[in-house]
Amino acid sequence: MRHRGEPDCVPTARRITPAGHGLSVRHGTGRPDGTKSTIRSGFPPLPKPGNTVRLPASLAAMIAAHDIHTPTKVHMKLQMKVRTMAMAVTATVLATAVQAQIKIGLVIPASGPLTQYGTMIQEGVGTAVEQVNAAGGINGQQVQTVVFDDACNPGKAPGTANRLLDAKVRYVIGPVCSGAAIAAAPIYDSQRVVVVTPSATSPSLTSGMDYHYIFRTIGQDNEQGEAAAKFIMEKIKPRKIALLHDKQSYGRGIANTARKLLSRAGAEVALYEGITPGGKDYSDVIARIKNAGIDFVYFGGYHNEMGVLLRQAKEAGLNARMMGPEGVGNSEINAIAGPAVEGMLVTLPADFAANPKNAATVKAFEAKKRNASSAFGLTSYAAAQVIMDSIKAVGDDTQLVADYMHKTTFQTPLGPTSWDAGGDLKSFEFQVFEWHQDGSKTVVK
């Protein structure tokens, strides 16, 4: 049965060999450089060498209406027309093979207040893809990245997912933010789209969901919260703690985790409160923190709000040390907070760029003036790597790719990388860093 969109071709192609003229309509799958290609995404596979080409029905009818073995002038003209049309068919199919690409969608905030996180993902994925393409691609095909903007907005995430499906993209790196990832994940998983997020840390993305196609190359908030709570209790040893969050999935989730772990460790959480995301004035909550004698503040959220909190706390004479999760680890916070950013504490993925085993990868980043030490530079590189390595191993089939990822341990810049049944990493390391006014950071031992 002919599928919608398939050319109007006869069920079986005829081999055309006019007597005395040596015309044989055939083609193989080889490219000029000797590589082979498999046509997917709705195109039929190229015939193997020696097989006949499928001809349009109109051409087949023309052939059937004439005895092309009779060497008359009329028939010779017909033979030339047949030759021309057959060559055009072959050229079209071969051109399709040359242009075939494997598409990976980058679902990132290309607009809105969190675009720098999207830039981190583009740099990491871009570096990995460039290296693979320079080495010949995957099984003869080049890899193409396509950006889809969800602005880190849970309300926009489902629409973004549907646009990606319409574009026939079946591999995704992202979404970047937990709220958007949670909102879009059911669509991706039900449509067998392989998703690897290098940055969404909320346990709610995968907990109890039984997804098969959703993975991440970063740890969860409970792991990050544990690293933060341990550092606070062992290194800071504050008298009173304030826990603030931005009322969103990511920020509230990490603050709740920290609250539970700190309370379990015997810390006094004197204030637990949500603040309005995107706010420009948090002087009221800062006044309450100051009046309560709080000497340590942990904030669950992103750099915009943290920058305002730091600046206004300094202006109010609040000397409490402040700490946040990887969402505040963005160089733009320096412009918002100014000198008040000095000494901010932040939990981030371990400094994988400092590992000597990653020297060549870091050099590839630096050659393009990219930052391998950014919060998600190497987690996004690893996300691209595991997708491309899997396609190379089992072919461009998302079910096979997901199956392979679930059962395989990959060697990535993060170290040995493998997942549990829920798509969460079996191990991941967060570290505590001190942020500096010049935008640099140092690991706190």
Side-chain angles (χ1 to χ4, degrees):
M1 180 181 294
R2 180 163 62 90
H3 297 285
R4 183 179 298 176
E6 183 177 341
D8 182 20
C9 297
V10 291
T12 56
R14 296 183 57 180
R15 179 178 173 186
I16 309 167
T17 312
H21 291 272
L23 174 61
S24 180
V25 184
R26 302 180 181 183
H27 65 73
T29 59
R31 290 175 172 166
D33 63 358
T35 61
K36 294 183 178 181
S37 175
T38 300
I39 304 299
R40 298 185 186 273
S41 303
F43 293 100
L46 291 174
K48 296 179 180 179
N51 287 2
T52 55
V53 70
R54 290 165 59 86
L55 300 179
S58 57
L59 178 57
M62 187 187 304
I63 295 168
H66 296 271
D67 179 7
I68 63 175
H69 293 279
T70 304
T72 65
K73 289 184 179 180
V74 172
H75 293 158
M76 289 175 67
K77 289 182 179 180
L78 175 60
Q79 291 162 9
M80 292 303 297
K81 188 171 184 179
V82 169
R83 184 194 298 268
T84 301
M85 293 179 69
M87 290 174 66
V89 171
T90 302
T92 299
V93 178
L94 289 176
T96 300
V98 171
Q99 295 171 3
Q101 292 177 317
I102 295 170
K103 293 183 179 180
I104 297 178
L106 306 187
V107 180
I108 62 174
S111 62
L114 303 175
T115 56
Q116 193 169 39
Y117 299 115
T119 300
M120 295 177 191
I121 275 61
Q122 287 181 290
E123 290 187 349
V125 174
T127 303
V129 168
E130 288 162 3
Q131 290 179 318
V132 166
N133 284 342
I138 301 174
N139 302 328
Q141 292 179 295
Q142 292 285 286
V143 179
Q144 176 189 9
T145 58
V146 185
V147 171
F148 295 86
D149 178 22
D150 67 0
C152 265
N153 186 329
K156 295 182 178 180
T160 302
N162 286 316
R163 288 198 304 275
L164 183 141
L165 291 170
D166 291 342
K168 308 299 182 185
V169 176
R170 293 296 180 264
Y171 304 96
V172 168
I173 296 173
V176 170
C177 297
S178 291
I182 292 167
I187 298 173
Y188 291 129
D189 195 74
S190 66
Q191 298 302 309
R192 298 184 178 183
V193 176
V194 174
V195 172
V196 185
T197 175
S199 51
T201 55
S202 173
S204 298
L205 173 61
T206 52
S207 179
M209 301 308 297
D210 196 30
Y211 291 141
H212 186 67
Y213 295 87
I214 310 297
F215 302 81
R216 50 179 142 203
T217 48
I218 195 167
Q220 300 181 66
D221 286 341
N222 52 355
E223 298 168 286
Q224 184 172 196
E226 185 175 351
K230 183 179 179 181
F231 179 86
I232 292 168
M233 296 305 293
E234 293 182 358
K235 303 294 184 180
I236 304 296
K237 301 177 182 179
R239 298 185 308 276
K240 290 184 178 181
I241 300 173
L243 289 174
L244 306 178
H245 61 82
D246 63 359
K247 303 179 183 180
Q248 301 183 74
S249 296
Y250 165 69
R252 184 188 294 109
I254 189 69
N256 285 340
T257 299
R259 182 185 193 183
K260 179 177 65 177
L261 294 172
L262 288 168
S263 297
R264 186 182 300 168
E268 181 184 350
V269 178
L271 180 67
Y272 179 84
E273 188 169 327
I275 63 173
T276 302
K280 302 301 181 184
D281 184 3
Y282 300 127
S283 57
D284 287 348
V285 70
I286 290 171
R288 289 196 296 276
I289 291 171
K290 187 175 181 181
N291 293 336
I294 289 169
D295 57 342
F296 191 85
V297 178
Y298 184 89
F299 170 67
Y302 293 102
H303 67 280
N304 289 303
E305 292 75 19
M306 182 62 146
V308 176
L309 286 168
L310 286 165
R311 187 185 73 248
Q312 293 184 344
K314 187 176 181 65
E315 291 169 351
L318 176 62
N319 295 319
R321 194 84 180 267
M322 291 195 182
M323 184 179 195
E326 91 286 351
V328 307
N330 186 318
S331 61
E332 290 184 359
I333 196 172
N334 294 66
I336 300 169
V341 78
E342 182 66 39
M344 176 188 74
L345 297 170
V346 55
T347 47
L348 291 168
D351 189 9
F352 301 111
N355 187 333
K357 293 181 180 179
N358 294 330
T361 301
V362 172
K363 187 175 180 180
F365 272 77
E366 293 174 345
K368 293 296 182 72
K369 297 182 179 180
R370 298 167 180 163
N371 182 13
S373 295
S374 67
F376 309 127
L378 289 179
T379 60
S380 57
Y381 180 102
Q385 180 190 332
V386 297
I387 288 176
M388 294 188 293
D389 284 356
S390 298
I391 296 172
K392 184 176 182 180
V394 300
D396 186 4
D397 183 307
T398 60
Q399 181 172 341
L400 296 179
V401 166
D403 292 345
Y404 184 78
M405 288 173 63
H406 274 292
K407 67 183 181 182
T408 304
T409 298
F410 299 82
Q411 297 302 319
T412 76
L414 314 182
T417 303
S418 60
W419 295 271
D420 61 20
D424 292 310
L425 289 173
K426 291 181 179 178
S427 64
F428 190 82
E429 182 184 3
F430 286 101
Q431 292 178 324
V432 177
F433 292 79
E434 187 175 55
W435 203 267
H436 303 298
Q437 190 176 344
D438 64 0
S440 64
K441 61 184 186 292
T442 53
V443 177
V444 181
K445 302 296 186 181

